[in-house]
Amino acid sequence: MSGQFKNRIDALGFDEEVKQKVLTVIEEAGSACPCLQCSSKDTCENFQWHTKWFGNK
């Protein structure tokens, strides 16, 4: 995972096990986003938000 969620979780200073659990939850949520299958995601502001926070998919 890359993106703002990861950057901010890294900055919290969690131990590695807790950090990985939190990142897993966020990755699962990001993977369920319907925007990933949308044909207009290259020009969509919602998908740009998704990319910023969840990273590139």
Side-chain angles (χ1 to χ4, degrees):
M1 169 182 250
S2 59
Q4 290 296 316
F5 279 126
K6 182 179 184 317
N7 295 344
R8 292 185 183 200
I9 290 168
D10 286 343
L12 292 173
F14 291 137
D15 67 51
E16 195 62 30
E17 182 180 352
V18 171
K19 182 174 86 171
Q20 287 307 313
K21 287 179 180 181
V22 172
L23 288 173
T24 297
V25 170
I26 292 172
E27 286 176 2
E28 288 173 359
S31 296
C33 180
C35 292
L36 295 174
Q37 305 305 319
C38 181
S39 62
S40 64
K41 66 183 178 186
D42 293 332
T43 59
C44 177
E45 288 183 27
N46 288 332
F47 190 72
Q48 290 171 7
W49 173 91
H50 184 279
T51 300
K52 174 184 175 182
W53 286 94
F54 289 95
N56 294 329
K57 295 279 182 184

